[in-house]
Amino acid sequence: MTLAAMLLLVAIGFCAGGFGALAGVGGGIIVTPLLAIYFGLPMHQAIGVTLLCVIATSTATSSMYVERHVTDVRLGMTLELATTVGALIAALVAHHINRRTLAVLFACFLLYSAGSMIRKAWDSRHAKREEVIPDYTPQNYPAGLAASLIAGGFSGLLGIGGGPIKVPVMLLFMKVPLRVAAATSNFMIGVTAATSAYVYWGRGDVRVDIAAPLVAGVFAGSLLGARISPKIRAFYILMLLVCIAGWLAAQMIYKLLTGGFQ
Amino acid sequence: MSRQDVAADRVLSLTLKFGAYTAFALIVAGLLLQLAVPWGAKVAAAGLLVLLATPVLRIVVACLQFLREHDFKYALVSFGVLAIVVLAYVLGVQA
């Protein structure tokens, strides 16, 4: 690999990790399509590499959330029982799904994520930050476990974290405060992604030459992002991510229609 | 939140930081070495392996913390998660 390509990968990782930490969303969803469209990686390899980026973001940012006592480790561990099972099954199945189908699923998920980010951005304009976390007891574990199983499945299949699925369920059905839900989801994502990453790694779908510079960038970006996030308004970053996600979804659809992703 | 939980959070946070910074340092060192010597890529790969091991380490640490607090229910839950992740590792190696 040329030095220029390596630096480009570091920069992509830095942006994905930084934007992700600033906006409170996983930056992974922009990494997979970038690798698949512009670096010509097969979908399975793009997903395998992205899983490592997801673990890096989760590890770097959740160390800070845990320190601030925002993460509910007990709740996270319980739901991980379901996310890991979903991730394991999906990672085993993903191998037998052809690249075009994976690309179609990914494009759909990109659009869904863009939609949920628009809603999140809109809410962030008015909502005040919860400074003090109210007392709560998680409710409706069956709903939480079911959503976690599905989120884990998507994670293993598409290399994403699954936050857009878990966080709303924790918030609406389990009655967990938003900040706790987001931090706990973030904590879980690393374990979920690692479960499927082992399967991808074992199959040789994790390209070390591509993953190493990307992960280095993700680490730097998310450590910096998590540090300055309390001082920055998420609105503009979310809107920027919506534009990037929309553009990448359009590119993927165009490539699919013109017979790409074979 | 109890005092024990606050202490447990600190240990868990330190574990995550230790994993993150070790992996980060190895990967950056590997990338730089790669420009000079061929075995640099192996150092970067070792960094990625540390990254992959950190989630397992965090489950083990959480499990031990629960045991220390005599919270056997959640120690068992952590152990269950650990079992699934190890199963994934075993299946991954065989694949």
Side-chain angles (χ1 to χ4, degrees), chain A residues 132-195:
Chain A
V132 179
I133 297 163
D135 272 335
Y136 68 94
T137 311
Q139 292 168 10
N140 205 345
Y141 273 97
L145 287 168
S148 299
L149 188 69
I150 294 168
F154 273 109
S155 174
L157 204 57
L158 303 177
I160 47 149
I165 302 168
K166 275 178 296 184
V167 175
V169 172
M170 277 196 247
L171 190 69
L172 299 174
F173 292 95
M174 304 193 77
K175 310 286 179 207
V176 175
L178 180 60
R179 266 179 76 198
V180 177
T184 305
S185 162
N186 204 53
F187 177 78
M188 291 158 62
I189 280 168
V191 177
T192 313
T195 311

Side-chain angles (χ1 to χ4, degrees), chain A residues 80-149:
Chain A
E80 269 168 17
L81 281 174
T83 60
T84 47
V85 170
L88 175 56
I89 295 170
L92 292 171
V93 169
H95 190 54
H96 304 287
I97 295 179
N98 71 47
R99 293 166 184 172
R100 275 178 74 82
T101 313
L102 274 183
V104 170
L105 282 172
F106 201 95
C108 294
F109 189 80
L110 259 178
L111 292 173
Y112 170 74
S113 297
S116 80
M117 283 192 288
I118 290 174
R119 226 192 60 194
K120 196 173 169 188
W122 197 250
D123 291 347
S124 79
R125 286 177 39 148
H126 308 293
K128 274 196 209 151
R129 275 183 79 89
E130 299 166 307
E131 288 303 336
V132 179
I133 297 163
D135 272 335
Y136 68 94
T137 311
Q139 292 168 10
N140 205 345
Y141 273 97
L145 287 168
S148 299
L149 188 69

Side-chain angles (χ1 to χ4, degrees), chain A residues 20-47:
Chain A
L22 283 175
V25 295
I29 61 162
I30 63 173
V31 175
T32 309
L34 277 175
L35 292 178
I37 297 168
Y38 299 108
F39 284 79
L41 243 62
M43 276 305 279
H44 294 91
Q45 289 188 5
I47 290 167

Side-chain angles (χ1 to χ4, degrees), chain B residues 10-81:
Chain B
R10 190 169 309 136
V11 175
L12 197 56
S13 165
L14 280 175
T15 311
L16 290 166
K17 267 190 195 149
F18 173 76
Y21 285 112
T22 310
F24 187 36
L26 280 172
I27 292 169
V28 171
L31 287 175
L32 294 176
L33 279 170
Q34 201 179 302
L35 301 173
V37 283
W39 48 268
K42 285 193 177 137
V43 177
L48 292 178
L49 286 174
V50 171
L51 177 69
L52 276 169
T54 306
V56 179
L57 192 64
R58 85 171 87 160
I59 305 169
V60 172
V61 168
C63 186
L64 291 176
Q65 297 281 349
F66 289 134
L67 279 178
R68 226 178 54 175
E69 292 177 29
H70 296 282
D71 190 342
F72 297 114
K73 186 180 152 196
Y74 283 97
L76 192 66
V77 169
S78 313
F79 190 77
V81 176

Side-chain angles (χ1 to χ4, degrees), chain A residues 6-19:
Chain A
M6 197 173 103
L7 290 176
L8 185 62
L9 286 168
V10 172
I12 291 172
F14 186 82
C15 292
F19 289 157

